[in-house]
């Protein structure tokens, strides 16, 4: 049955209203972070030190960067479980090449190229071979981790040149370089997500893949580009991580996908695709890093930290499901409920 324009208008108005609600949810998350920071500071004054806050921002930098990429993937109604394994493989290969005498700049380019190629292959499996994203990235996660282990044989790599470690340990006017890179990249991600045709297409595909295709959106190509972008971004996050700790091994980045996905969902991005927020993602990554830092300062055992992180993931998904049910219900309410009666 064909719907009249008047019948379709309420849903459009409702969606516009709900997009504004996402902004208020970002504000709410900001308040939550500030409140938790105050509580943690009262419990343990060491948490409130400037040095510790800078440490939290530095620790969260690579999570922020990779979570920005994951926002595009999840908004596109996909998922990528392979980010930790991609990070491990590209860093052990890039690290070894640099240590064997390759120019550091070229070694970094190899890392980015490898990350992009892996992302392209994953995107090809998802968009053209039509393997479900969960299955495709799960298989890539296992295979890439295996390749990293085969390549490095479990050895620890360490001793990068100062030109590379600067990206993780350097400062500019007292501000850590990783924090500056993460901030600038978040701004770039927000621009790409909200103000470009690519970002519009990502949201359109996530909202309704078939409708986007009928509207002329190159669905397969955009999906492939999303996963390629995820691979490049993961390489960037990996570069900052290994530059900060000046080492890498095949087990680096284990469970990173859980941390990153949790940050995106906590930030307000829809698990079902179509809606996302870079600002919320950044806040989600900061919140998780802040809680991890507070647990470490409190002397909580690492295994209990994992329990807490798992609980946060479950709570975040439960809240996301409740939010989606509310969104689905509000989409059918009359326009006058949101814009005033005429």
């Amino acid at each position: 049955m064909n719907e009249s324009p008047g019948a379709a208008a309420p849903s459009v108005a409702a969606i516009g209203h709900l997009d504004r609600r996402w902004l208020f949810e970002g504000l709410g998350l900001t308040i939550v972070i500030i409140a938790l920071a105050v509580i943690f500071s009262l419990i343990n004054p060491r948490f409130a030190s400037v040095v510790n806050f800078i440490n939290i921002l530095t620790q969260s930098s690579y999570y922020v960067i990779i979570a920005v990429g994951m926002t595009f993937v999840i908004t596109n109604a996909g998922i990528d479980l392979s980010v930790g394994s991609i990070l491990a493989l590209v860093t052990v290969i890039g690290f070894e090449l640099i240590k064997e005498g390759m120019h550091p700049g070229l070694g970094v380019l190899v890392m980015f190229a490898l990350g992009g190629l892996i992302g392209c292959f994953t995107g090809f499996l998802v968009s053209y071979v039509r393997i479900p994203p969960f299955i495709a990235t799960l298989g890539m996660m296992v295979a890439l981790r295996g390749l990293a282990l085969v390549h490095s044989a479990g050895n620890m790599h360490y001793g990068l040149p100062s030109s590379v470690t600067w990206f993780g340990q350097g400062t500019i006017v007292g501000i850590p370089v990783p924090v500056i890179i993460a901030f600038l990249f978040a701004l770039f991600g927000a621009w790409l997500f909200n103000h470009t045709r690519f970002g519009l297409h990502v949201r359109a595909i996530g909202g309704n893949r078939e409708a986007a295709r009928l509207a002329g959106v190159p669905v397969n190509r955009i999906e492939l580009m999303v996963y390629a972008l995820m691979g490049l971004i993961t390489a960037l996050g990996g570069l900052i991580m290994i530059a900060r700790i000046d080492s890498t091994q095949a087990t680096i980045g284990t469970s990173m996908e859980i941390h990153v996905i949790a940050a995106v969902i906590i930030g307000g991005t829809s698990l079902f695709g179509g809606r996302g927020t870079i600002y919320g993602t950044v806040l989600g990554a900061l919140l998780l890093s802040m809680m991890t830092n507070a647990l470490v300062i409190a002397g909580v055992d690492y295994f209990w930290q994992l329990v807490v992180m798992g609980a946060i993931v479950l709570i975040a998904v439960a809240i996301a499901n409740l939010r989606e049910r509310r969104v689905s219900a509000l989409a059918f309410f009359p326009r006058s409920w949101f814009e005033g009666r005429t």
Side-chain angles (χ1 to χ4, degrees):
M1 181 182 296
N2 294 328
E3 296 184 359
S4 65
S11 295
V12 174
I15 292 172
H17 173 79
L18 293 169
D19 287 340
R20 290 191 293 273
R21 288 178 65 94
W22 250 252
L23 296 177
F24 286 109
E25 289 178 1
L27 178 61
L29 189 54
T30 303
I31 295 173
V32 168
I33 290 176
I34 294 174
L36 286 175
V38 171
I39 294 172
F40 293 151
S41 299
L42 292 175
I43 295 174
N44 193 326
R46 286 193 301 164
F47 182 86
S49 67
V50 174
V51 173
N52 189 55
F53 281 131
I54 292 177
N55 186 44
I56 291 173
L57 292 175
T58 305
Q59 287 178 336
S60 66
S61 59
Y62 33 83
Y63 288 114
V64 167
I65 291 171
I66 298 175
V68 166
M70 190 66 74
T71 303
F72 283 85
V73 174
I74 294 179
T75 302
N76 193 66
I79 197 72
D80 194 344
L81 303 176
S82 65
V83 290
S85 298
I86 294 175
L87 187 147
L89 183 60
V90 301
T91 57
V92 294
I93 291 177
F95 207 121
E96 185 174 7
L97 290 174
I98 294 172
K99 288 293 293 180
E100 289 182 350
M102 178 178 286
H103 188 278
L106 185 56
V108 170
L109 287 178
V110 169
M111 289 174 55
F112 281 99
L114 183 58
L117 287 173
I118 293 172
C120 281
F121 181 71
T122 303
F124 174 78
L125 294 177
V126 172
S127 59
Y128 290 95
V129 184
R130 303 304 298 274
I131 299 175
F134 182 88
I135 302 300
T137 59
L138 180 64
M140 291 295 290
M141 177 184 73
V142 176
L144 295 175
R145 182 70 67 180
L147 287 175
L149 289 166
V150 169
H151 179 272
S152 66
N155 296 324
M156 171 75 77
H157 301 276
Y158 57 90
L160 283 169
S162 59
S163 58
V164 177
T165 57
W166 179 83
F167 288 98
Q169 303 175 13
T171 60
I172 298 177
V173 295
I175 304 174
V177 171
V179 175
I180 295 175
I181 294 176
F183 175 75
L184 294 177
F185 188 80
L187 290 179
F188 169 74
W191 169 79
L192 187 66
F193 190 82
N194 296 308
H195 302 289
T196 67
R197 186 180 297 273
F198 174 72
L200 176 63
H201 287 172
V202 167
R203 298 195 301 276
I205 295 170
N208 190 318
R209 178 188 174 92
E210 184 61 19
R213 186 187 66 81
L214 293 175
V217 175
V219 173
N220 291 341
R221 189 172 69 198
I222 294 296
E223 283 190 330
L224 188 147
M225 290 172 63
V226 165
Y227 284 95
L229 178 66
M230 185 74 255
L232 288 169
I233 292 173
T234 302
L236 175 60
L239 170 64
I240 294 176
M241 177 180 281
I242 66 171
R244 183 168 182 264
I245 62 178
D246 192 16
S247 64
T248 188
Q249 56 183 327
T251 57
I252 193 173
T254 301
S255 299
M256 173 171 280
E257 56 279 347
I258 302 300
H259 192 118
V260 170
I261 293 171
V264 175
I265 301 306
I266 289 172
T269 294
S270 171
L271 268 173
F272 302 96
R275 286 184 300 276
T277 161
I278 299 297
Y279 175 63
T281 291
V282 172
L283 292 179
L286 288 175
L287 175 61
L288 291 175
S289 295
M290 186 177 71
M291 294 193 68
T292 300
N293 179 269
L295 292 172
V296 170
I297 290 178
V300 176
D301 186 83
Y302 174 72
F303 300 114
W304 281 109
Q305 293 179 33
L306 295 178
V307 173
V308 172
M309 290 297 297
I312 291 174
V313 172
L314 293 176
I315 293 171
V317 173
I319 292 174
N321 285 336
L322 291 174
R323 184 193 297 126
E324 291 302 323
R325 292 176 186 176
R326 182 179 61 193
V327 168
S328 299
L330 289 174
F332 292 99
F333 289 168
R335 180 176 183 176
S336 60
W337 288 30
F338 304 107
E339 297 188 344
R341 298 183 182 277
T342 57

